[in-house]
Each structure stands twice: as structure tokens, then as C-alpha cells.
Amino acid sequence: MAVKTLKIDDQLISARGDETILEAATASGIHIPTLCNLQGVSLWGACRLCLVEVSGNSKLLAACVTPVAERMIVLTQTERLKHYRRMIVELLFAEGNHICSVCVSNHHCELQDLAIEMGIDHVRFTYQFPDRSVDISHPQFGVDHNRCVLCTRCIRVCDEIEGAHTWDMAGRGRTSRVITDLNQPWGEAESCTACGKCVNACPTGAIFRRGSTVGEMEHDRTQLEFIATARTRREWIQK
Ligand code: SF4
Ligand code: SF4
Ligand code: FES
């Protein structure tokens, strides 16, 4: 494969001809934000977080699906790009129900990471507060559609790595959602091998292990009095 020479953010780079701008940038230590991209599965190019400017092209291009070319000049951190990326992340927050403080993925969520990276401390768009379902019919896992950003990473890992093809996409526009086995509850999806790959691939808290969410946490009310009075009564927990 012929080697291409290009410039990314003024850095001269050599890349294989079949590499994308994202792959070439990453290999050279240049960070481009991503969300739908997942190494090891097919390209999707839908979230547009990885937009870059390529000289001679008036359109912004998705770095994860655009191949490198000889003498290409790429910019990844212009004010225009920062403006669009911030807008995309804000829109994702506004169109779902992302309440980080009660999310199982708090502090390990890629959407949250992007918001922090872009310095987002408020959302300028009107929150949609969609009324989406939560499916906890699977004995081990659950899916909360309120936190789904439709990146399709679950669909691709399940199909291309596990070979189960449990997940699919249904609906259009605002009604788009991921479904399991022809829209059966996940617990009834016979194709699912319970491998957990989709749980790990999901960038947000949309797919989770049951028993780990704040909503599933059980408070032991019998401990309340003990917590309040044990010290004065000099009662300690027996080990
Ligand atoms: S647990 Fe494995 S088989 Fe089941 S839906 Fe997720 S990736 Fe597919
Ligand atoms: S459930 Fe998770 S991995 Fe699947 S499309 Fe939604 S955000 Fe992406
Ligand atoms: S990471 Fe490139 S379009 Fe989503």
C-alpha cells in the first residue's frame, strides 16, 4: 500500500494509503474527538464529532471515514470546528435524558468526557425530555433508551464481533431507537449469548449491567436508626 504524506495541524505525517485521517492523526498523537467510532468494528460516520477541515474542500469532513490523500492539509482544532462540536454535544444532551449524577456511567461516560473536554457547563438548546422506555427484561443487562445517543456501537460489536446480531435500529428521526431481535424485549431475544460486549461498547450509560444502577440500588431502611443512634448507644458493627 502506497504511503501518503500529509499535514495535520502543521505536523508532517506519513500514513498508509488505506488509513483514515482519524487513524493517521491518532497514530501521530493528534487528538480528534469521536463518539460513534470504535476500533475493531466497521466505520459508521454518523455522530460528526470528528469533523475536520481539509484545505480545498468547503465542507467539513468526518475524519473517521475520510481516507488520507497525498499532500492533504488537515486542520482539527479551528474555532469553526470547536463551535460545531460543542453544538453537537449540547444537542445530544438536549435530546435525551442525561442526568449524570444518577447515571451508572457517571465518571466513565464518553459523552460526559466530551462535554468536559469542550468546557460545556450549560446547554443552550431546549431540553426535549423525551419519554423513552427502559428494558430490564434481560437477567443480566438493561437498556435505558433515555441515554442512547444512537451511535450503533452495540449493533456493530454484537454483529461483527460476537456474531449474534441481536441489536438493530428501528424507526426514523426522533423515533429512532435500538431494538433487540425484531423488537422483542431483550430478555426474550433468543440470539443474545449474554456475552456483555454491547455493555462494554456503549459509550454512555444506555446499556448497563443490572444491579449496578442508582435506580436499582436498595436502601436498607432498617439501618437508619442504627446510623443515627449507634454512636451514643456505643453499639458497633460486629465484624
Ligand atoms: S450481550 Fe452479547 S450477544 Fe447479547 S446483545 Fe450484547 S453483544 Fe449481543
Ligand atoms: S445503546 Fe449505547 S451503544 Fe447502542 S446505540 Fe445507544 S448509545 Fe450507542
Ligand atoms: S466518530 Fe466520526 S462520525 Fe462519529
Side-chain angles (χ1 to χ4, degrees):
M1 180 65 63
V3 169
K4 310 279 182 192
T5 306
L6 63 153
K7 258 190 183 176
I8 305 182
D9 294 343
D10 286 334
Q11 196 172 317
L12 200 57
I13 282 170
S14 296
R16 280 198 332 267
D18 62 348
E19 280 187 309
T20 63
I21 295 173
L22 179 66
E23 287 169 326
T26 306
S28 299
I30 297 169
H31 170 69
I32 298 175
T34 59
L35 189 60
C36 69
N37 188 65
L38 186 65
Q39 205 177 4
V41 293
S42 58
L43 304 175
W44 184 245
C47 76
R48 316 311 279 176
L49 254 301
C50 66
L51 288 175
V52 291
E53 289 185 28
V54 175
S55 76
N57 197 326
S58 58
K59 288 185 188 158
L60 300 177
L61 301 178
C64 68
V65 290
T66 306
V68 294
E70 186 63 25
R71 298 192 187 178
M72 196 179 225
I73 298 176
V74 182
L75 294 173
T76 73
Q77 298 298 334
T78 64
E79 288 309 312
R80 183 183 174 207
L81 292 170
K82 288 179 187 168
H83 169 77
Y84 279 117
R85 287 177 190 150
R86 181 180 171 131
M87 197 166 72
I88 292 165
V89 174
E90 285 186 44
L91 284 167
L92 288 173
F93 272 99
E95 69 187 20
N97 292 311
H98 298 278
I99 318 293
C100 298
S101 57
V102 293
C103 178
V104 64
S105 283
N106 194 11
H107 298 308
H108 47 95
C109 167
E110 292 181 37
L111 183 63
Q112 189 183 51
D113 291 345
L114 285 167
I116 294 167
E117 178 183 335
M118 285 161 204
I120 297 173
D121 54 6
H122 68 284
V123 168
R124 293 164 292 175
F125 303 101
T126 307
Y127 282 99
Q128 302 297 301
F129 298 119
D131 185 13
R132 299 187 192 149
S133 61
V134 179
D135 177 359
I136 51 166
S137 58
H138 193 287
Q140 294 179 48
F141 314 123
V143 56
D144 182 349
H145 294 278
N146 294 287
R147 299 179 186 140
C148 177
V149 293
L150 299 174
C151 68
T152 76
R153 279 162 56 156
C154 54
I155 298 175
R156 287 175 283 153
V157 289
C158 185
D159 180 36
E160 298 169 24
I161 297 183
E162 180 60 9
H165 197 121
T166 301
W167 291 102
D168 232 318
M169 187 73 84
R172 296 179 124 203
R174 287 165 65 100
T175 65
S176 297
R177 60 201 292 271
V178 287
I179 57 167
T180 42
D181 267 12
L182 298 174
N183 215 3
Q184 305 295 310
W186 192 358
E188 293 171 25
E190 291 183 2
S191 63
C192 177
T193 62
C195 69
K197 291 186 174 70
C198 57
V199 184
N200 293 321
C202 182
T204 68
I207 304 183
F208 53 89
R209 277 180 204 282
R210 290 192 57 181
S212 57
T213 64
V214 174
E216 288 172 287
M217 187 168 67
E218 286 186 15
H219 294 269
D220 184 355
R221 300 281 166 196
T222 63
Q223 292 290 318
L224 281 179
E225 192 192 337
F226 176 83
I227 291 166
T229 62
R231 180 178 285 273
T232 49
R233 288 195 284 166
R234 302 185 65 77
E235 289 175 0
W236 318 115
I237 295 172
Q238 299 294 316
K239 290 202 174 171

